[in-house]
């Protein structure tokens, strides 16, 4: 068995990777070192020229890497009682051993701390891009789920560790959310989805080898909910009602969503750069990353002109609280019956329509009104971002007779 250093491309004009070449019984396998050097700086004795920056440290690292590969080859032999059949078998063995070593040497990071690390990382990404971290819904979502898990831990004396995420944990957590917190099925599903996202990230970072969350039974709960949309007449009433201050601005932002199909977050990010040469609204949506082009309309143009294409910002909490009061002032007070899950049971509840209005009602109203106006479904989907007709028809609020 022979171990030596080998340049990937001896004829390269730029720096090329240095690999460890291991040979045994007419078999060869290469292993990376993470170090690159120009061919003319790689000497015949397998060392980097002293003229290269940090040459001493790099040569020592390469020597250690060769010794490491050599030792792992003999570890394989001692464990299996034979030499590797091929390079792939050896490479897989060495990769697994190196991951085990990283895990054993890594500082212990528990799950709740990892939630905060991921949230902070998202905020750092925004700062680098020069964006406002107060609008980072992802980091807020991570922290909300972490807070819920901590509450679950305190009440049930359950440890929130990577190794403790079992199916028993899953069922107990779902029961806690359903019966103790009285969360809706979709709200519980949102927290399960966030937990799975964080666990997938931990898996990628080699912080855990627990795959329980990958099981089909560890599922994101969801149910079809009764939601509303505002008709054209109701939008006209909303547009006509006299309002002042924040209520006037929030009404305008809501109408912008109703006539553009944008989510609240995207509507609030509109700036002069989003208006193209034809006066159309062109914006890259935050959720899907797709760029949508929204045709001009009288209401849309009036709102954009009023705010000089710079939409005022409101948090979703403030927006959703105030838009209900605004819709009540506009006379959107008809009674509606909705189905709601509570403690695992389906209930039918009577509410005033304005009580169900939220920021997302604007987007749903756009899609439903456009469909009822017989605008081609695919044209509407190009704006809403729905990928299938089935998901779009499930999203809009029309009766079966209207399909």
């Amino acid at each position: 068995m022979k171990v030596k250093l080998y340049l990937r491309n001896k004829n390269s004009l730029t720096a090329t990777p240095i690999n460890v070449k291991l040979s045994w019984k007419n078999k060869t396998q290469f292993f990376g070192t993470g170090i690159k050097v120009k061919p003319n700086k790689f000497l015949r004795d397998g060392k980097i020229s002293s003229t290269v920056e940090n040459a001493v440290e790099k040569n020592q690292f390469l020597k250690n890497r060769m010794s490491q590969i050599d030792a792992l080859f003999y570890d394989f032999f001692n464990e299996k009682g034979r030499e590797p059949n091929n390079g792939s078998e050896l490479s897989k063995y060495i990769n697994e051993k190196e991951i085990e070593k990283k895990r054993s040497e890594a500082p212990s990071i528990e799950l709740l701390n990892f939630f905060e690390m991921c949230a902070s990382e998202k905020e750092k990404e925004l700062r680098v891009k020069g964006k406002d971290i107060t609008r980072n819904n992802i980091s807020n979502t991570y922290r909300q789920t972490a807070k819920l898990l901590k509450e679950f831990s305190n009440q049930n004396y359950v440890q929130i560790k990577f190794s403790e995420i079992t199916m028993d944990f899953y069922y107990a957590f779902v029961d806690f959310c359903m019966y103790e917190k009285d969360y809706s099925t979709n709200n519980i599903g949102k927290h399960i989805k966030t937990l799975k996202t964080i666990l997938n990230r931990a898996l990628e970072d080699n912080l855990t080898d627990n795959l329980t969350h990958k099981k089909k039974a560890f599922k994101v709960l969801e149910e079809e909910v009764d939601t509303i949309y505002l008709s054209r007449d109701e939008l006209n009433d909303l547009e006509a009602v006299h309002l002042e201050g924040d209520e006037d601005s929030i009404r305008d932002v809501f109408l912008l969503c109703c006539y553009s199909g944008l989510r609240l977050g995207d509507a609030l990010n509109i700036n002069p750069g989003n208006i193209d040469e034809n006066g159309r609204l062109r914006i890259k949506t935050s959720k899907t990353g797709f760029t949508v082009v929204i045709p001009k309309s009288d209401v849309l143009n009036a709102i954009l002109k009023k705010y000089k294409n710079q939409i005022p910002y409101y948090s979703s909490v403030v927006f959703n609280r105030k838009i209900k009061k605004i819709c009540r002032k506009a006379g959107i007070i008809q009674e509606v019956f909705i189905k709601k899950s509570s403690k695992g049971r389906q209930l039918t509840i009577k509410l005033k329509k304005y009580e169900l209005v939220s920021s997302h009602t604007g987007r749903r109203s756009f899609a439903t009104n456009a469909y009822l106006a017989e605008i081609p479904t695919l044209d509407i989907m190009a704006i809403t971002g729905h990928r299938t007709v089935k998901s779009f028809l499930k999203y809009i609020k029309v009766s079966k007779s209207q399909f």
Side-chain angles (χ1 to χ4, degrees):
M1 191 270 289
K2 244 186 186 180
V3 182
K4 70 174 187 176
L5 295 173
Y6 187 86
L7 277 184
R8 181 183 292 178
N9 184 358
K10 295 178 182 179
N11 299 316
S12 176
L13 298 177
T14 58
T16 187
I18 300 175
N19 293 329
V20 174
K21 181 181 179 181
L22 188 146
S23 305
W24 75 102
K25 288 187 177 178
N26 299 320
K27 299 178 182 70
T28 302
Q29 185 64 25
F30 294 93
F31 299 91
T33 65
I35 293 178
K36 293 181 178 182
V37 68
K38 288 183 178 180
N40 64 347
K41 299 296 182 180
F42 189 67
L43 307 179
R44 288 185 179 181
D45 61 0
K47 291 184 178 180
I48 295 174
S49 169
S50 60
T51 59
V52 174
E53 186 178 0
N54 298 323
V56 174
E57 291 83 356
K58 288 179 180 178
N59 281 321
Q60 185 60 50
F61 176 85
L62 292 171
K63 182 179 178 182
N64 293 344
R65 181 64 170 154
M66 290 174 68
S67 298
Q68 182 185 44
I69 298 298
D70 182 81
L72 286 167
F73 180 90
Y74 285 107
D75 286 347
F76 181 101
F77 183 85
N78 292 330
E79 280 187 29
K80 313 281 187 183
R82 61 175 176 83
E83 292 182 341
N85 292 324
N86 50 56
S88 297
E89 185 181 28
L90 177 62
S91 182
K92 181 181 178 182
Y93 175 84
I94 288 178
N95 285 339
E96 288 173 352
K97 290 297 180 182
E98 288 180 339
I99 288 172
E100 285 178 18
K101 187 171 185 290
K102 283 181 182 177
R103 270 193 198 132
S104 65
E105 293 175 348
S108 177
I109 299 174
E110 291 305 340
L111 183 51
L112 291 180
N113 292 336
F114 192 59
F115 265 93
E116 181 56 35
M117 286 173 61
C118 291
S120 298
E121 187 178 277
K122 285 292 179 185
E123 291 175 346
K124 287 177 184 176
E125 288 177 13
L126 287 178
R127 286 193 185 97
V128 169
K129 294 176 181 178
K131 294 186 178 180
D132 184 357
I133 65 169
T134 61
R135 303 191 190 191
N136 185 9
N137 291 329
I138 295 177
S139 59
N140 291 337
T141 298
Y142 289 171
R143 290 187 175 114
Q144 287 167 8
T145 299
K147 183 180 178 181
L148 182 64
L149 285 166
K150 188 173 182 179
E151 186 179 345
F152 167 70
S153 171
N154 292 338
Q155 272 193 229
N156 294 274
Y157 306 101
V158 176
Q159 290 187 315
I160 307 299
K161 294 182 177 181
F162 291 114
S163 59
E164 300 295 324
I165 304 300
T166 62
M167 288 310 304
D168 286 341
F169 166 89
Y170 171 84
Y171 294 127
F173 180 60
V174 169
D175 283 350
F176 168 75
C177 292
M178 189 174 290
Y179 299 108
E180 295 294 325
K181 301 297 290 182
D182 196 17
Y183 283 173
S184 69
T185 300
N186 288 333
N187 196 7
I188 298 170
K190 180 190 75 172
H191 288 293
I192 295 294
K193 183 179 179 181
T194 303
L195 175 59
K196 285 169 73 77
T197 297
I198 295 297
L199 291 172
N200 281 331
R201 170 65 190 278
L203 203 60
E204 290 175 7
D205 290 358
N206 296 317
L207 295 175
T208 180
D209 55 5
N210 187 349
L211 296 174
T212 301
H213 69 285
K214 295 283 190 180
K215 293 182 178 179
K216 285 186 178 180
F218 204 105
K219 59 186 177 182
V220 175
L221 303 180
E222 60 179 348
E223 65 179 353
E224 189 172 348
V225 295
D226 286 330
T227 49
I228 61 162
Y229 81 100
L230 300 189
S231 67
R232 292 289 186 189
D233 288 340
E234 287 170 325
L235 293 179
N236 290 337
D237 291 341
L238 183 59
E239 190 178 350
V241 68
H242 177 73
L243 300 168
E244 295 180 352
D246 281 347
E247 287 191 340
D248 180 45
S249 298
I250 288 174
R251 182 257 312 273
D252 289 342
V253 175
F254 182 74
L255 287 172
L256 191 153
C257 294
C258 291
Y259 286 96
S260 69
L262 290 173
R263 297 178 180 84
L264 177 63
D266 293 326
L268 294 173
N269 283 327
I270 292 174
N271 60 67
N274 295 126
I275 311 302
D276 68 16
E277 63 276 7
N278 296 314
R280 297 173 302 181
L281 188 57
R282 183 184 294 269
I283 188 167
K284 184 176 181 180
T285 57
S286 57
K287 183 174 181 178
T288 65
F290 294 146
T291 297
V292 297
V293 179
I294 299 162
K296 294 182 285 186
S297 71
D298 291 341
V299 175
L300 210 53
N301 289 346
I303 293 172
L304 292 174
K305 183 178 180 181
K306 179 176 179 179
Y307 296 99
K308 298 179 180 178
N309 300 325
Q310 192 80 49
I311 304 304
Y313 176 77
Y314 294 95
S315 72
S316 59
V317 174
V318 171
F319 187 96
N320 287 328
R321 184 177 71 247
K322 291 196 173 185
I323 193 61
K324 290 175 172 59
K325 295 178 181 179
I326 293 166
C327 287
R328 183 180 60 190
K329 288 184 178 181
I332 303 172
I333 57 174
Q334 71 185 80
E335 291 182 343
V336 293
F337 293 87
I338 65 161
K339 291 180 180 179
K340 180 186 177 183
S341 60
S342 176
K343 301 185 186 302
R345 295 180 297 131
Q346 280 284 335
L347 305 176
T348 300
I349 302 173
K350 181 173 72 173
L351 294 169
K352 298 289 187 180
K353 191 171 185 178
Y354 72 83
E355 295 179 274
L356 294 170
V357 175
S358 69
S359 60
H360 203 74
T361 306
R363 178 172 158 80
R364 197 180 298 274
S365 298
F366 167 82
T368 304
N369 287 321
Y371 181 83
L372 294 175
E374 299 185 353
I375 294 173
T377 300
L378 293 179
D379 289 348
I380 307 171
M381 289 169 59
I383 295 175
T384 62
H386 288 92
R387 296 185 179 181
T388 66
V389 174
K390 182 180 178 181
S391 64
F392 172 77
L393 294 178
K394 188 178 178 182
Y395 179 77
I396 60 176
K397 300 308 295 180
V398 295
S399 63
K400 290 183 180 179
S401 63
Q402 292 173 303
F403 281 116

